[in-house]
Amino acid sequence: MSASSAFNDEKGGSSSVGEPEYGHDPASGGIFSSDYKRHDDLKEMLDSNKDSLKLEAMKRIVAMIARGKNASDLFPAVVKNVACKNIEVKKLVYVYLVRYAEEQQDLALLSISTFQRGLKDPNQLIRASALRVLSSIRVTIIVPIMMLAIKEAASDMSPYVRKTAAHAIPKLYSLDPEQKDQLIEVIEKLLADKTTLVAGSVVMAFEEVCPERIDLIHKNYRKLCNLLIDVEEWGQVVIINMLTRYARTQFLNPNINDDDDEDDKEKKAEAATLAKRKPYVMDPDHRLLLRNTKPLLQSRNAAVVMAVAQLYFHLAPKAEIGVIAKALVRLLRSHSEVQYVVLQNVATMTIKRRGMFEPYLKSFYIRSTDPTQIKVLKLEVLTNLANETNISTILREFQTYIKSMDKDFVAATIQAIGRCATNIGEVRDTCLNGLVQLLSNRDELVVAESVVVIKKLLQMQPEKHSDIIKHMAKLTDNIQVPMARASILWLIGEYCEHVPKIAPDVLRKMAKSFTNEEDIVKLQIINLSAKLYLTNSKQTKLLTQYVLNLAKYDQNYDIRDRARFIRQLIVPTEKSGALSKYAKKLFLALKPAPVLESPFKDRDHFQLGSLSHLLNAKAGGYQELPDWPEAAPDPSVRNVEVKESVRAVGTVTYRDTGALWGLPGPQTMEGSEGCSQLDSASGSESGSGSEESGSGSESDESEEGSESEQESEEDKEEDKKKKKKELKKPVRESERLIILHLLLCRQTITPCSASKSYELLHRITGEGLSVEYCFSRQPFSPDGNMVAVQVQFNNSAASETKNLHMEDVKLQCGMRVKEFPEIGEWWGEAATAVMGIDFCDSTQAANFQLCTHTKKFFVSIQPPVGELMRPVFLTENEFKKEQGQLMGMNEITERLTLDAKCRNEHTIVQRVTTAANLSRVPCGSDKECRFAGRTVTSGSLVLVSVVTKEEGAAQLTVNCEKMVIGTMLVKDILLALTQ
Amino acid sequence: MIHSLFLINHSGDIFLEKHWKSVIGRSVCDYFFEAKEKAVQPENVPPVLQTPHHYLISVYRDKLFFLSVVQTEVPPLFVIEFLHRVADTVQDYFGECSEGVIKDNVVTVYELLEEMLDNGFPLATESNVLKEMIRPPTILRSVVNTLTGGSNVGDTLPTGQLSSIPWRRAGVKYTNNEAYFDVIEEIDAILDKSGTTVFAEIQGVIEACVRLTGMPDLTLSFMNPRLLDDMSFHPCVRFKRWESERILSFIPPDGNFTLMTYHVSSQNVVALPVYVKQNISFLETGSCGRLDITIGPKQTMGKTVEGLTVTVHMPKTVLSANLTATQGNYTYNLATKVLVWDIGKLNPQKLPNLRGSLSLQAGAPRPEENPALDITLKIQQLAISGLKVSRLDMYGEKYKPFKGVKYLTKAGKFQVRT
């Protein structure tokens, strides 16, 4: 029964969809008569208790809204259904509410309680959608409710709800700007969020509410840089634009030493002297931003590519900007609207940095099917790119363009030729000749444009081109376009000395046709006559008189005015004052040649890619791109307390990860979730942090280090240097220990002491006290189940540090720590201490406070998995036997391709033993290397074998009872062997 | 950010409007209509317009204008890219993007727009996420909906939005597991009058159709990845692995998607599959002209050239064309002055030729420029750059999928100047 009635309604509905074409345009009227009736039946349907009827009614109402028809009188009937059980009806009611709540504020309040209930729902998606609708209802009276809801949602467990909270912030701000301070607090809180889902939305809120509060970004800067690649596309655009502005306030200009702007040579000299005093070193954070944005040039989203391109243009050292050219040229294949915007920006870029687009010259060639605005922009780019080497090709291209049917485009081409000729001296004559040929073109517009351009060109060196002037003088008979005629007349007047015979004749002809000319031509005739009178009064006196007389009675008062003025100046009478003596100087002064400039010059003071840049006018809400600071502000503001920084990098989940595919199951694909099983308590971040870098390094330097390993060569070198520096000291300090250690544990052939040191406390955070630690790989004598950690203190502060000790150790259950004895006072620079930690065979961090007599610092030590074991000696047979027992789930095999530098046995052994504290097991075959160890706490065996094959292919097998350890160890060794 | 959206048809009627903040009156579109009037051709309407209180950013797709209203600074490409994404979504949902289809599905489109933006900022633009919330219509479902009064709103909650890989939904199941890849290359070229190449390059795209159960992790490798000079990827592709190993490693979206686009290194000389001999001339007197076009195969690597057409945009003064084609048909549209010669397959033994006379408006001056020829063609089973997929591997799932790669070469913007 209900089905059949619904069917009838559906039919009625669909027929009504077809008919109301008149409703498209509200101005056409006729709505009221028919709509009243229909609204009545809609109300009836909404009041019924059948969901199908309600749904049908809502669909028709939404269709009305979509067509722009007024459905506001249905508000009471619709709002009743806000608590409807049917999710489909509910959704449509929300759509309606958001559209009309503003107009019917009182009635809208009826729905609020439903949303408030929704905010408490156990399902995160329902919480989010309730907040979304609640915040979209633009009713001022509920501002306090919204504020409360946003605050609550900002600390919701679900990142999706937090994202919705971030979206709600600008909505509330636009409703009531007075809430700004409170909203900033929420923004500050959400900025600290570590999930990719929230990052884009909260930065968008930041940009709309408080873009001036750049200080809120400091602590989150590195995290944002690291998260960037995994944020959704739209968020990426917003974040990149914001970070561009941020970087301009915090870092130094990387091009300060070699800015080659011709127009500010003085500045250059100044900068050079400055540079001598202080060589430029890029802030590592500045580098981090450039490095992390670069891969996004390969995004499919044009807006992201453009955002990165503008970031590089505004922030990168000159030598590195080139990379963006290729990506921008790629965008020229996209939709014509995209081309239009990209070309505008390329045009601006080519003025400052011509070199980077030169290899792509041909990509800017014009097709006859391009829209006119694209053609003109491409022409602009081609003109900017022209130089001595490519000008002949470009001119050949221009020649084909001149024949185009699109006359506006031809005119633009002629101007472009003019600009090429002024910029490049060598081709000036060629261009002039070409333009002169155009003077015989049949199209008057073309001729006129050529005349105007030739005029500008001739002004540069008139003496050489009297024949062209003569040629143009002849044209006055044919050309009718006023601007062109005026230009010719001006030219003859200006250079009448070069064409003494022709000039008076032209004036004669012009005098004859004076009355029929356009105003601008008339003015030029007067000018010409005046100039001739001054140079050749014998021949032209009468003519001038005649012209001036004609002008005296002209209809246009400008012309009458000019005639009177000129007569007074040039014709000497007794009344004429001192001025007429200088008439010649007034009229025939040397005039500077005009500069033909690109309209895109200096547009780059607007941030590229912005609407303001495109319009060349400041749009509302545009944030100025600040100039580089003279001196860099304190970089330490970006340092984050250790715990916090654990670890944005860790959340780099998907696109950054390398060889994840070897791990079974779909879960591992989700990065942080995948390994959160390792530590449920401390959240997924720290777990994946350890996985990512395999170290526990929290400091910025080593963060830089571990990342740049995967980066380009130059970074590697930089990194190596840094590491060397880091290494030197601990090695010297621990030399004695190592020798001792070797003596003590002879039987466990420790091939390599992992003297790689990690930072525990950065010098800046520690206010002068810097602390590093390394895993010395010696047995910790007080307790055999503990890993020995050697800690080294360095005090570079002016004040002395006393009473160094540990406090407030926070551990996961089962873990134990043997603290190092308090260091009372020390002299000299460095001090070392050894502590023991029982990590319980997990890579969870040991957190504690490091206290001096005055301060406390939160620090944490996190072991790479390779340090959780100690070497054992096995014979070949023992190894095989043990391996046989650790099959199946306990065995993990990976194929890999060895790094080119790591194809001999020696380096393989070295790299494996550096990555993990294992000892070599003798083996008959030279194709196989075997290693063995036991985990420190539980003593489980860890067996590793690497079998090498042809051409660097290899197979890595790890057998370990503890699967988690095994999995992580495989990863670390893979990394060590492939890089 | 994006304030409102108006959909406008070819003749200037607004047939759908959506506001994400407070309502903006339709009169704002008058500025756009003015510009449209001025531009004559719809392609020539400036994409960004400034009005006293608003900025209008529009795209022209499938004979429709997507016009958005913006009030404050926003990167124009951000808006343009989004508008194209709207058009793509409509296309994806209903098979085509036209006024009729949008009008028929107006509620669904409106709901889609509601979900895509929140307060003017993109919220869910992945088609996979959208499809979970609002189901695309199928014949079966529309019949069921008609009978039961149901709608297309998904009754499950969209979980894709919460995942770290929003482009794939959980719990995908197929009985036939298949993964097909189309490598499509387009040749962009400009040839001059004498037939020499002014400019030529190859742009490629890999379109994928993946219907696999569960969460497969695919790797696609090439025989000759060095050919690729510049590329852009779907967000699912892992950058790091491409950078280090030149392998495409990704968890694919479900269904059809564009995996990557690429540009072939410009060092390689582009092999053009055809040559064109042409002679178009307009006589100084007698208001008539001659046309003679021949097309022949050049480097086709032993494959047949298909779908060959030649399009000529004639000067305005050409009244009619009286031609004979040895192969295929030609049409001359008097209103748009476009001559189209549809050749079809290229037969290397008997080269297709089109010749005859053109008659011009009497008394009009001889056209300055000869019209350019636009060529389209297709070659099946060939990637003109020589790019080859070497293998596709799947990890993470146990079953064996059907795999396939197809190659296709097309003419992109292939223009011959005369």
Side-chain angles (χ1 to χ4, degrees), chain A residues 24 66-67 88 123 132 171 298 333 337 373 403 442 611-612 620 654-656 661, chain B residues 17 26 44 60 73 114 118 151 157 186 188 231 233 235-236 240-241 251 365 369 417:
Chain A
H24 278 212
R67 284 197 215 99
E88 303 172 33
N123 187 322
R132 197 179 151 201
K171 296 185 208 168
Q298 257 136 40
R333 285 271 305 169
E337 297 88 7
Q373 67 239 18
K403 286 189 253 158
R442 243 180 310 120
L611 185 61
S612 305
Y654 183 79
R655 305 194 71 177
D656 226 17
W661 44 266
Chain B
E17 62 180 73
R26 288 183 167 201
N44 285 348
Y60 182 66
E73 169 66 45
E114 177 80 30
D118 182 17
S151 83
L157 291 160
E186 290 192 357
D188 284 357
M231 47 266 140
F233 299 117
C236 69
K240 281 268 153 74
R241 290 207 73 195
I251 296 175
E369 186 201 31
R417 291 175 178 165

Short mmCIF file of all heavy atoms in Angstrom, two decimals, chain A residues 24 66-67 88 123 132 171 298 333 337 373 403 442 611-612 620 654-656 661, chain B residues 17 26 44 60 73 114 118 151 157 186 188 231 233 235-236 240-241 251 365 369 417:
data_model
loop_
_atom_site.label_atom_id
_atom_site.label_comp_id
_atom_site.label_asym_id
_atom_site.label_seq_id
_atom_site.Cartn_x
_atom_site.Cartn_y
_atom_site.Cartn_z
N HIS A 24 12.88 28.95 -13.39
CA HIS A 24 14.33 29.16 -13.46
C HIS A 24 14.74 30.56 -13.11
O HIS A 24 15.75 30.79 -12.50
CB HIS A 24 14.81 28.86 -14.88
CG HIS A 24 15.00 27.41 -15.07
ND1 HIS A 24 15.94 26.89 -15.90
CD2 HIS A 24 14.36 26.36 -14.51
CE1 HIS A 24 15.86 25.57 -15.85
NE2 HIS A 24 14.91 25.24 -15.03
N ALA A 66 17.97 24.17 -5.27
CA ALA A 66 19.06 24.10 -6.23
C ALA A 66 18.79 25.01 -7.42
O ALA A 66 19.70 25.59 -8.00
CB ALA A 66 19.24 22.66 -6.70
N ARG A 67 17.52 25.13 -7.78
CA ARG A 67 17.21 25.99 -8.92
C ARG A 67 17.09 27.45 -8.51
O ARG A 67 16.78 28.29 -9.32
CB ARG A 67 15.91 25.55 -9.56
CG ARG A 67 16.11 24.30 -10.38
CD ARG A 67 14.95 24.10 -11.31
NE ARG A 67 14.71 22.67 -11.41
CZ ARG A 67 13.77 22.03 -10.73
NH1 ARG A 67 12.97 22.70 -9.93
NH2 ARG A 67 13.63 20.75 -10.85
N GLU A 88 18.25 9.38 5.39
CA GLU A 88 18.20 10.11 4.12
C GLU A 88 17.39 11.39 4.27
O GLU A 88 17.78 12.45 3.79
CB GLU A 88 17.59 9.22 3.05
CG GLU A 88 18.36 7.94 2.88
CD GLU A 88 17.66 6.96 1.97
OE1 GLU A 88 16.98 7.39 1.03
OE2 GLU A 88 17.79 5.76 2.20
N ASN A 123 29.25 7.59 17.97
CA ASN A 123 29.85 7.46 16.64
C ASN A 123 30.51 8.78 16.22
O ASN A 123 29.88 9.83 16.17
CB ASN A 123 28.76 7.08 15.64
CG ASN A 123 29.34 6.77 14.28
OD1 ASN A 123 30.28 7.43 13.84
ND2 ASN A 123 28.79 5.77 13.63
N ARG A 132 29.10 19.97 12.21
CA ARG A 132 29.16 20.64 10.92
C ARG A 132 27.89 21.44 10.66
O ARG A 132 27.94 22.60 10.26
CB ARG A 132 29.36 19.60 9.83
CG ARG A 132 29.84 20.20 8.55
CD ARG A 132 30.05 19.17 7.48
NE ARG A 132 29.83 19.82 6.21
CZ ARG A 132 29.53 19.20 5.09
NH1 ARG A 132 29.44 17.90 5.08
NH2 ARG A 132 29.33 19.88 4.00
N LYS A 171 33.83 29.65 10.48
CA LYS A 171 32.39 29.92 10.42
C LYS A 171 31.96 30.78 11.61
O LYS A 171 31.25 31.76 11.45
CB LYS A 171 31.60 28.60 10.44
CG LYS A 171 31.83 27.72 9.25
CD LYS A 171 30.90 26.51 9.35
CE LYS A 171 31.48 25.30 8.67
NZ LYS A 171 30.75 24.08 8.97
N GLN A 298 55.24 17.05 -8.22
CA GLN A 298 54.69 15.98 -9.03
C GLN A 298 53.24 15.68 -8.70
O GLN A 298 52.72 14.64 -9.08
CB GLN A 298 55.55 14.73 -8.85
CG GLN A 298 56.47 14.52 -10.02
CD GLN A 298 57.87 14.14 -9.61
OE1 GLN A 298 58.07 13.39 -8.69
NE2 GLN A 298 58.83 14.70 -10.31
N ARG A 333 49.73 21.79 -20.37
CA ARG A 333 48.96 20.78 -21.10
C ARG A 333 47.54 20.70 -20.56
O ARG A 333 46.70 20.02 -21.12
CB ARG A 333 49.62 19.41 -20.92
CG ARG A 333 50.85 19.22 -21.70
CD ARG A 333 50.51 18.67 -23.05
NE ARG A 333 49.73 17.44 -22.96
CZ ARG A 333 49.13 16.88 -23.98
NH1 ARG A 333 49.21 17.42 -25.15
NH2 ARG A 333 48.45 15.76 -23.82
N GLU A 337 41.92 27.19 -18.62
CA GLU A 337 41.89 28.11 -17.47
C GLU A 337 43.16 27.96 -16.64
O GLU A 337 43.71 28.94 -16.15
CB GLU A 337 40.68 27.83 -16.58
CG GLU A 337 39.35 28.05 -17.24
CD GLU A 337 38.84 26.81 -17.96
OE1 GLU A 337 39.48 25.75 -17.82
OE2 GLU A 337 37.82 26.91 -18.68
N GLN A 373 43.38 35.07 -25.12
CA GLN A 373 44.10 35.49 -23.91
C GLN A 373 45.34 34.62 -23.67
O GLN A 373 46.37 35.10 -23.18
CB GLN A 373 43.19 35.48 -22.69
CG GLN A 373 42.71 34.11 -22.26
CD GLN A 373 41.20 34.02 -22.29
OE1 GLN A 373 40.55 34.83 -22.93
NE2 GLN A 373 40.62 33.05 -21.62
N LYS A 403 50.73 36.67 -39.56
CA LYS A 403 49.75 36.36 -40.61
C LYS A 403 48.44 35.82 -40.03
O LYS A 403 47.56 35.44 -40.78
CB LYS A 403 50.37 35.34 -41.56
CG LYS A 403 51.41 35.97 -42.46
CD LYS A 403 51.85 35.01 -43.53
CE LYS A 403 53.24 34.51 -43.25
NZ LYS A 403 53.55 33.26 -43.90
N ARG A 442 47.81 44.92 -46.00
CA ARG A 442 46.51 45.43 -46.41
C ARG A 442 45.63 45.79 -45.21
O ARG A 442 44.73 46.60 -45.31
CB ARG A 442 45.80 44.41 -47.29
CG ARG A 442 45.59 45.00 -48.67
CD ARG A 442 44.90 44.05 -49.60
NE ARG A 442 45.54 42.73 -49.60
CZ ARG A 442 44.90 41.62 -49.25
NH1 ARG A 442 43.66 41.67 -48.85
NH2 ARG A 442 45.51 40.46 -49.30
N LEU A 611 45.48 35.44 -6.14
CA LEU A 611 44.49 36.19 -6.92
C LEU A 611 44.98 37.62 -7.14
O LEU A 611 44.84 38.19 -8.21
CB LEU A 611 43.16 36.18 -6.16
CG LEU A 611 41.94 36.80 -6.84
CD1 LEU A 611 41.63 36.07 -8.12
CD2 LEU A 611 40.75 36.77 -5.91
N SER A 612 45.59 38.18 -6.09
CA SER A 612 46.06 39.55 -6.19
C SER A 612 47.12 39.69 -7.28
O SER A 612 47.15 40.67 -8.01
CB SER A 612 46.67 39.99 -4.86
OG SER A 612 45.74 39.82 -3.84
N GLY A 620 40.79 41.50 -1.29
CA GLY A 620 40.48 41.52 0.13
C GLY A 620 41.07 40.32 0.83
O GLY A 620 41.00 39.20 0.32
N TYR A 654 52.17 7.31 4.53
CA TYR A 654 51.97 6.53 3.33
C TYR A 654 53.01 6.81 2.25
O TYR A 654 53.81 5.96 1.91
CB TYR A 654 50.58 6.79 2.77
CG TYR A 654 50.31 5.94 1.57
CD1 TYR A 654 49.96 4.61 1.73
CD2 TYR A 654 50.48 6.43 0.29
CE1 TYR A 654 49.74 3.82 0.65
CE2 TYR A 654 50.27 5.63 -0.80
CZ TYR A 654 49.90 4.33 -0.62
OH TYR A 654 49.70 3.55 -1.69
N ARG A 655 52.99 8.03 1.77
CA ARG A 655 53.72 8.28 0.54
C ARG A 655 55.21 8.30 0.76
O ARG A 655 55.99 8.14 -0.14
CB ARG A 655 53.28 9.61 -0.05
CG ARG A 655 51.82 9.64 -0.24
CD ARG A 655 51.42 10.76 -1.11
NE ARG A 655 51.82 10.51 -2.49
CZ ARG A 655 51.55 11.34 -3.46
NH1 ARG A 655 50.93 12.44 -3.24
NH2 ARG A 655 51.93 11.07 -4.69
N ASP A 656 55.59 8.53 2.00
CA ASP A 656 57.00 8.64 2.28
C ASP A 656 57.64 7.28 2.48
O ASP A 656 58.83 7.13 2.35
CB ASP A 656 57.14 9.45 3.59
CG ASP A 656 58.19 10.49 3.44
OD1 ASP A 656 58.54 10.78 2.27
OD2 ASP A 656 58.66 11.00 4.45
N TRP A 661 55.96 -3.07 1.33
CA TRP A 661 55.11 -4.10 0.75
C TRP A 661 55.46 -5.50 1.21
O TRP A 661 54.66 -6.41 1.09
CB TRP A 661 55.16 -4.03 -0.76
CG TRP A 661 56.53 -3.84 -1.33
CD1 TRP A 661 57.10 -2.67 -1.67
CD2 TRP A 661 57.49 -4.85 -1.59
NE1 TRP A 661 58.35 -2.87 -2.14
CE2 TRP A 661 58.63 -4.20 -2.11
CE3 TRP A 661 57.51 -6.23 -1.46
CZ2 TRP A 661 59.76 -4.89 -2.49
CZ3 TRP A 661 58.65 -6.91 -1.84
CH2 TRP A 661 59.76 -6.25 -2.34
N GLU B 17 22.21 26.57 -8.59
CA GLU B 17 23.05 27.43 -7.77
C GLU B 17 23.23 26.80 -6.40
O GLU B 17 22.37 26.05 -5.92
CB GLU B 17 22.46 28.82 -7.64
CG GLU B 17 21.10 28.88 -6.96
CD GLU B 17 20.58 30.31 -6.88
OE1 GLU B 17 20.18 30.85 -7.92
OE2 GLU B 17 20.59 30.88 -5.78
N ARG B 26 21.72 36.34 -7.75
CA ARG B 26 22.12 35.96 -9.10
C ARG B 26 22.65 37.13 -9.91
O ARG B 26 23.33 36.94 -10.91
CB ARG B 26 20.91 35.41 -9.85
CG ARG B 26 20.51 34.06 -9.37
CD ARG B 26 19.37 33.54 -10.18
NE ARG B 26 19.23 32.12 -9.89
CZ ARG B 26 18.62 31.27 -10.68
NH1 ARG B 26 18.09 31.69 -11.80
NH2 ARG B 26 18.56 30.00 -10.37
N ASN B 44 36.99 32.24 -25.01
CA ASN B 44 37.75 33.47 -24.79
C ASN B 44 37.30 34.27 -23.57
O ASN B 44 37.82 35.35 -23.32
CB ASN B 44 37.65 34.36 -26.03
CG ASN B 44 38.51 33.84 -27.15
OD1 ASN B 44 39.34 32.94 -26.93
ND2 ASN B 44 38.34 34.36 -28.34
N TYR B 60 35.07 26.55 -18.31
CA TYR B 60 34.15 26.17 -19.37
C TYR B 60 34.39 24.72 -19.69
O TYR B 60 35.47 24.36 -20.16
CB TYR B 60 34.41 27.06 -20.59
CG TYR B 60 33.48 26.81 -21.74
CD1 TYR B 60 32.13 27.09 -21.62
CD2 TYR B 60 33.95 26.31 -22.95
CE1 TYR B 60 31.27 26.87 -22.68
CE2 TYR B 60 33.10 26.09 -24.01
CZ TYR B 60 31.75 26.37 -23.87
OH TYR B 60 30.90 26.15 -24.93
N GLU B 73 40.89 36.87 -1.04
CA GLU B 73 42.06 36.28 -1.66
C GLU B 73 42.03 34.75 -1.56
O GLU B 73 41.84 34.18 -0.49
CB GLU B 73 43.31 36.82 -0.94
CG GLU B 73 44.61 36.13 -1.29
CD GLU B 73 45.03 36.32 -2.73
OE1 GLU B 73 44.96 37.46 -3.22
OE2 GLU B 73 45.42 35.33 -3.36
N GLU B 114 27.21 19.73 -1.60
CA GLU B 114 27.16 19.96 -0.16
C GLU B 114 28.31 19.22 0.54
O GLU B 114 28.95 19.75 1.44
CB GLU B 114 25.81 19.46 0.37
CG GLU B 114 25.63 19.57 1.88
CD GLU B 114 25.25 20.97 2.30
OE1 GLU B 114 24.60 21.67 1.52
OE2 GLU B 114 25.63 21.35 3.41
N ASP B 118 32.94 22.47 2.58
CA ASP B 118 32.36 22.88 3.85
C ASP B 118 32.80 24.31 4.09
O ASP B 118 34.00 24.58 4.18
CB ASP B 118 32.86 21.96 4.98
CG ASP B 118 32.23 22.32 6.31
OD1 ASP B 118 31.21 23.02 6.30
OD2 ASP B 118 32.77 21.90 7.35
N SER B 151 16.28 6.54 -1.89
CA SER B 151 17.09 7.53 -2.57
C SER B 151 18.52 7.03 -2.66
O SER B 151 18.83 5.89 -2.32
CB SER B 151 17.07 8.86 -1.83
OG SER B 151 18.00 8.82 -0.79
N LEU B 157 27.79 4.72 7.08
CA LEU B 157 28.58 5.91 7.32
C LEU B 157 29.88 5.80 6.54
O LEU B 157 30.45 4.72 6.44
CB LEU B 157 28.85 6.05 8.82
CG LEU B 157 27.59 6.39 9.60
CD1 LEU B 157 27.75 6.05 11.05
CD2 LEU B 157 27.25 7.85 9.43
N GLU B 186 50.15 10.97 -26.38
CA GLU B 186 49.67 11.97 -27.33
C GLU B 186 50.86 12.71 -27.91
O GLU B 186 51.78 13.07 -27.18
CB GLU B 186 48.73 12.96 -26.64
CG GLU B 186 47.42 12.33 -26.25
CD GLU B 186 46.39 13.38 -25.85
OE1 GLU B 186 46.73 14.58 -25.82
OE2 GLU B 186 45.26 12.99 -25.57
N ASP B 188 52.15 16.01 -29.48
CA ASP B 188 51.89 17.43 -29.73
C ASP B 188 52.92 17.89 -30.74
O ASP B 188 54.11 17.69 -30.51
CB ASP B 188 52.07 18.25 -28.46
CG ASP B 188 50.90 18.06 -27.53
OD1 ASP B 188 49.96 17.34 -27.91
OD2 ASP B 188 50.94 18.62 -26.42
N MET B 231 56.87 13.82 -14.52
CA MET B 231 55.59 13.13 -14.35
C MET B 231 54.81 13.69 -13.18
O MET B 231 55.37 14.35 -12.30
CB MET B 231 55.78 11.63 -14.19
CG MET B 231 56.84 11.23 -13.23
SD MET B 231 58.37 10.95 -14.12
CE MET B 231 59.49 11.68 -12.97
N PHE B 233 51.74 12.29 -10.34
CA PHE B 233 51.18 11.03 -9.88
C PHE B 233 49.85 11.21 -9.18
O PHE B 233 49.57 12.25 -8.59
CB PHE B 233 52.13 10.39 -8.86
CG PHE B 233 53.48 10.07 -9.40
CD1 PHE B 233 54.61 10.69 -8.89
CD2 PHE B 233 53.63 9.16 -10.43
CE1 PHE B 233 55.85 10.40 -9.38
CE2 PHE B 233 54.88 8.87 -10.92
CZ PHE B 233 56.00 9.49 -10.40
N PRO B 235 47.70 10.60 -5.93
CA PRO B 235 48.24 10.63 -4.56
C PRO B 235 48.59 9.25 -4.01
O PRO B 235 49.35 9.17 -3.04
CB PRO B 235 47.10 11.25 -3.75
CG PRO B 235 46.26 11.97 -4.72
CD PRO B 235 46.45 11.33 -6.05
N CYS B 236 48.10 8.18 -4.60
CA CYS B 236 48.38 6.87 -4.04
C CYS B 236 49.81 6.41 -4.31
O CYS B 236 50.30 5.50 -3.65
CB CYS B 236 47.38 5.84 -4.57
SG CYS B 236 47.59 5.45 -6.30
N LYS B 240 58.81 8.10 -2.76
CA LYS B 240 60.15 7.67 -2.38
C LYS B 240 60.62 6.50 -3.22
O LYS B 240 61.75 6.44 -3.65
CB LYS B 240 60.18 7.29 -0.89
CG LYS B 240 60.26 8.51 0.00
CD LYS B 240 61.71 8.85 0.32
CE LYS B 240 61.90 10.33 0.62
NZ LYS B 240 61.40 10.77 1.90
N ARG B 241 59.69 5.56 -3.46
CA ARG B 241 60.09 4.39 -4.22
C ARG B 241 60.32 4.74 -5.67
O ARG B 241 61.17 4.16 -6.33
CB ARG B 241 59.03 3.29 -4.10
CG ARG B 241 59.00 2.70 -2.72
CD ARG B 241 58.51 1.29 -2.73
NE ARG B 241 59.48 0.36 -3.27
CZ ARG B 241 59.16 -0.87 -3.65
NH1 ARG B 241 57.92 -1.27 -3.56
NH2 ARG B 241 60.07 -1.68 -4.13
N ILE B 251 48.81 1.53 -3.44
CA ILE B 251 47.56 0.83 -3.14
C ILE B 251 46.50 1.53 -3.98
O ILE B 251 46.22 2.70 -3.77
CB ILE B 251 47.21 0.94 -1.64
CG1 ILE B 251 48.28 0.22 -0.83
CG2 ILE B 251 45.84 0.34 -1.37
CD1 ILE B 251 48.10 0.37 0.66
N PRO B 365 38.73 41.01 -49.94
CA PRO B 365 40.15 40.88 -50.25
C PRO B 365 40.63 39.45 -50.00
O PRO B 365 40.02 38.70 -49.24
CB PRO B 365 40.82 41.85 -49.29
CG PRO B 365 39.86 42.01 -48.17
CD PRO B 365 38.49 41.84 -48.77
N GLU B 369 46.17 34.99 -44.43
CA GLU B 369 46.84 33.80 -43.93
C GLU B 369 46.16 32.57 -44.45
O GLU B 369 44.95 32.54 -44.60
CB GLU B 369 46.77 33.80 -42.40
CG GLU B 369 47.56 32.69 -41.77
CD GLU B 369 47.08 32.40 -40.36
OE1 GLU B 369 45.89 32.58 -40.07
OE2 GLU B 369 47.91 31.97 -39.55
N ARG B 417 51.08 24.08 -40.14
CA ARG B 417 50.89 25.46 -40.63
C ARG B 417 51.00 25.47 -42.14
O ARG B 417 51.78 24.72 -42.72
CB ARG B 417 51.97 26.37 -40.03
CG ARG B 417 51.80 26.57 -38.55
CD ARG B 417 52.95 27.37 -38.00
NE ARG B 417 52.76 27.61 -36.57
CZ ARG B 417 53.72 28.04 -35.77
NH1 ARG B 417 54.93 28.27 -36.25
NH2 ARG B 417 53.48 28.25 -34.51
#
